[in-house]
Amino acid sequence: MEGGKFNMDARETLKLISKQWCDLNDLMKLAEIGKNNAVKLRR
């Protein structure tokens, strides 16, 4: 994302994908997208 806002290391990525459910913020981080696109993707 802009300015490396969502740079995650492997440990953070593994922590997010190991969850049973992800919320909107998790989806934004994993897909490296903004809130509006994350809402569209979630639908």
Side-chain angles (χ1 to χ4, degrees), residues 1-2 5-8 13 16-17 22-42:
M1 187 114 187
E2 301 169 10
K5 203 174 191 180
F6 294 121
N7 287 341
M8 296 188 305
T13 303
L16 281 178
I17 63 173
C22 73
D23 61 10
L24 195 59
N25 289 328
D26 295 340
L27 190 57
M28 288 169 56
K29 289 178 186 176
L30 285 172
E32 295 183 356
I33 56 178
K35 187 173 185 175
N36 291 336
N37 286 329
V39 169
K40 289 178 188 176
L41 184 61
R42 185 177 61 178

